[in-house]
């Protein structure tokens, strides 16, 4: 149990919710200023653009690229100078919910990051769409994959414009890390 460091001292952050390890989690614009992701992204992005105004700043969501809570309020950066990165994996979704079909999956992705694209707040690129090379033999992934692909291509926020940009992770097909991965 329990994390280490000042950010894990419950007495320091009485008003902020703690995670399972008793630490204050980073949020887009809530909580202690030093843990506000929006502020950090804005500061770092402005520093980069000051040196190289031609660059595009890529901002990954919190919680393994899946949590865009509060991202509707964009960073303090020039419009067109940044994009958001989302990640999408089968293990982000309960298997029993995937049996319910595409409406569950589409509503989940709309709530997570699709609404940002639909509202025109910022571009979102799915930089990690991951599964093994034998996904068709894996129960949950086999259920998830057609829903994910349909959302990215024709049923999601850019379906009428040819779909969203996305990248497959990991090209070698090797799954590493974690305690339940093979």
């Amino acid at each position: 149990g329990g994390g280490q460091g000042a950010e894990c001292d419950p007495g320091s952050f009485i008003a902020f919710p703690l995670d399972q390890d008793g630490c204050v989690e980073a949020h887009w614009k809530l909580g202690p200023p030093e843990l506000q992701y929006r502020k950090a992204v804005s500061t770092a992005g402005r520093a980069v653009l000051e040196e190289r105004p031609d660059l595009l700043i890529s901002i990954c969501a919190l919680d393994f690229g899946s949590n865009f809570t509060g991202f509707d309020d964009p960073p303090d950066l020039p419009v067109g100078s940044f994009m958001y990165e989302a990640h999408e994996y089968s293990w982000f979704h309960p298997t029993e919910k995937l049996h319910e079909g595409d409406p569950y999956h589409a509503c989940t992705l709309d709530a997570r990051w699709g609404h940002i694209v639909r509202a025109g707040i910022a571009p979102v690129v799915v930089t990690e769409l991951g599964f093994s090379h034998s996904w068709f033999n894996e129960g949950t992934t086999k259920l998830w994959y057609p829903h994910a692909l349909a959302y990215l291509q024709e049923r999601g926020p850019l379906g009428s414009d040819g779909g969203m940009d996305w990248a497959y992770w990991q090209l070698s097909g090797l799954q590493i890390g974690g305690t339940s991965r093979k």
Side-chain angles (χ1 to χ4, degrees):
Q4 304 288 322
E7 67 276 4
C8 296
D9 176 10
S12 298
F13 305 108
I14 303 282
F16 303 107
L18 303 178
D19 69 10
Q20 64 188 14
D21 294 321
C23 296
V24 177
E25 292 184 301
H27 291 275
W28 185 241
K29 61 179 188 174
L30 299 176
E34 61 272 13
L35 292 178
Q36 292 180 11
Y37 191 41
R38 182 183 183 274
K39 183 177 177 182
V41 163
S42 297
T43 301
R46 284 191 307 274
V48 168
L49 293 173
E50 187 174 305
E51 293 292 320
R52 293 282 310 271
D54 58 318
L55 292 181
L56 179 66
I57 306 296
S58 182
I59 304 166
C60 190
L62 295 164
D63 298 329
F64 307 103
S66 69
N67 182 355
F68 282 87
T69 303
F71 281 54
D72 301 51
D73 183 13
D76 184 19
L77 296 171
V79 173
S81 68
F82 67 93
M83 60 167 237
Y84 291 139
E85 288 184 39
H87 298 172
E88 173 63 359
Y89 292 99
S90 61
W91 54 86
F92 287 175
H93 308 277
T95 303
E96 62 276 4
K97 290 290 190 180
L98 291 171
H99 284 290
E100 294 177 17
D102 192 60
Y104 157 78
H105 188 263
C107 288
T108 299
L109 294 185
D110 273 349
R112 286 187 180 157
W113 47 264
H115 68 282
I116 291 171
V117 178
R118 289 187 196 281
I121 294 166
V124 174
V125 176
V126 178
T127 59
E128 289 187 26
L129 179 76
F131 46 89
S132 75
H133 287 188
S134 59
W135 63 269
F136 44 87
N137 292 323
E138 300 167 2
T140 301
T141 306
K142 189 174 182 177
L143 285 169
W144 162 82
Y145 180 74
H147 300 305
L149 206 55
Y151 187 85
L152 292 171
Q153 293 181 337
E154 69 267 357
R155 294 187 191 144
L158 296 178
S160 62
D161 294 324
M164 296 186 66
D165 292 327
W166 56 276
Y168 170 56
W169 182 263
Q170 167 184 37
L171 292 177
S172 72
L174 179 65
Q175 294 186 34
I176 56 175
T179 58
S180 64
R181 311 276 306 276
K182 296 177 185 172

